[in-house]
Amino acid sequence: MLIACVQSDVSFADPRENVERVLGWLDRTSHPASGDAHLVVFPECMLTGYAFDSRQQAAEVAISLDDPMFSRIAARLRRREQHATIGFVESAGQRLYNAAVLVGPQGIESHYRKIHLPHLGVDRFVDRGEGPYQSIPVSTSRCDDFRVGMAICYDGSFPEPSRVLALDGADVITLPTNWPDPATHTAGIVPPARSMENHVYFVAANRVGSENGFSFFGRSSICGPDGVVLASSSDNDETILFAEADPELARNKRIQRDGEAHTIDRFADRCPEFYHRLVEPKR
């Protein structure tokens, strides 16, 4: 399968303009050598912007899951049998979420609402997601089945969400993110660490540009199992990263080096009976 990671600017509080951006990017997700991407990953809050100053301001542009714009995106994905993960501020009755959807040719196939919320941007005002972390099977006639797990930005700074997604069978974990300038070190540490820990593909799509005093630095990446960086951006220019992925490689957690002399399995070798403190409340 071919993964495309979109590093894009965003028009603050302008969903109409941003859906046009998404459609335009989708038209560019064909690699000269490898053809059309099977999975396209967009940044956090791609459709709405992120740096809102109040809950009311965010609510005025929040998008519901039944908004017709997702049908427009699905129609564009249908041309090449693609899937995409896209972030936005979601309106659900009286509640607001920092959310991401997995959209396919027929429409929204799954959604995730951000659970770990930093004191930053719109995350100061949205409601905490209810979970659970789960992987979603994706199937097209163009490639073998693969499973996608979704997390959002600050979720990546905790090892537990990625481990749960991997245990649930995710071959690829997508992390739409809005890392601002003070978090530049995060881009170099988190994606390789999470992919290596779980022997999965990990796609971190960071945005560029600025909003209400925040500047976003890009440096998106696609990492393969064992933390190998397959594609990355070194700057804050708009771009698309491409990388080929083999789901079977992610599913084989047994790693052998030097024949039988060095063998590890980061799942079979786990000792959950010693991990009870992980799920205890903060003391």
Side-chain angles (χ1 to χ4, degrees):
M1 58 176 290
L2 183 67
I3 298 171
C5 175
V6 177
Q7 181 170 287
S8 175
D9 200 350
V10 175
S11 295
F12 180 67
D14 192 346
R16 292 182 182 273
E17 175 64 24
N18 289 323
V19 75
E20 296 301 327
R21 285 177 182 268
V22 167
L23 297 175
W25 282 116
L26 289 175
D27 286 340
R28 298 169 56 188
T29 54
S30 181
H31 188 274
S34 304
D36 296 328
H38 302 97
L39 177 66
V40 185
V41 183
F42 287 93
E44 179 181 17
C45 290
M46 176 73 203
L47 296 176
T48 56
Y50 177 78
F52 294 95
D53 290 326
S54 69
R55 184 178 177 97
Q56 178 60 35
Q57 186 187 33
E60 291 173 358
V61 297
I63 302 167
S64 63
L65 293 175
D66 60 358
D67 192 288
M69 71 174 59
F70 293 115
S71 296
R72 291 189 64 200
I73 294 171
R76 191 63 56 91
L77 293 168
R78 198 175 304 134
R79 295 182 183 180
R80 302 183 178 90
E81 288 192 83
Q82 294 177 308
H83 286 74
T85 60
I86 308 171
F88 62 105
V89 179
E90 178 194 351
S91 172
Q94 298 301 309
R95 301 182 72 80
L96 287 180
Y97 299 100
N98 184 338
V101 286
L102 175 68
V103 188
Q106 305 307 316
I108 294 176
E109 297 188 8
S110 185
H111 71 278
Y112 165 71
R113 293 162 172 168
K114 190 175 181 180
I115 291 174
H116 297 90
L117 302 174
H119 189 73
L120 179 71
V122 77
D123 287 322
R124 297 171 293 170
F125 312 116
V126 297
D127 300 292
R128 189 181 304 279
E130 305 91 351
Y133 290 107
Q134 59 184 351
S135 65
I136 305 100
V138 172
S139 180
T140 73
S141 64
R142 295 199 300 117
C143 70
D144 294 335
D145 295 351
F146 59 95
R147 298 184 70 94
V148 176
M150 291 186 288
I152 299 174
C153 199
Y154 194 42
D155 287 324
S157 294
F158 300 83
E160 293 85 358
S162 294
R163 176 51 54 93
V164 171
L165 289 169
L167 287 170
D168 196 52
D171 303 309
V172 181
I173 295 175
T174 64
L175 190 80
T177 183
N178 276 186
W179 286 323
D181 284 344
T184 53
H185 62 284
T186 305
I189 295 171
V190 166
R194 299 295 167 259
S195 57
M196 182 274 292
E197 290 167 345
N198 299 291
H199 204 68
V200 295
Y201 293 91
F202 194 96
V203 187
N206 194 27
R207 63 160 292 184
V208 297
S210 60
E211 278 182 11
N212 291 348
F214 290 94
S215 294
F216 304 94
F217 59 81
R219 300 190 190 177
S220 303
S221 64
I222 305 173
C223 292
D226 259 3
V228 177
V229 179
L230 303 176
S232 64
S233 169
S234 60
D235 53 36
N236 59 358
D237 293 331
E238 290 191 308
T239 189
I240 303 179
L241 306 176
F242 291 95
E244 294 186 356
D246 180 358
E248 289 300 325
L249 182 60
R251 293 168 191 170
N252 179 18
K253 306 300 183 184
R254 184 178 174 85
I255 303 168
Q256 288 184 294
R257 304 184 181 101
D258 299 326
E260 295 290 335
H262 182 184
T263 301
I264 60 173
D265 188 324
R266 292 192 178 93
F267 280 21
D269 296 340
R270 293 168 62 245
C271 300
E273 64 271 23
F274 295 104
Y275 305 158
H276 61 277
R277 286 289 301 277
L278 291 175
V279 294
E280 290 180 357
K282 179 182 178 182
R283 294 180 178 178

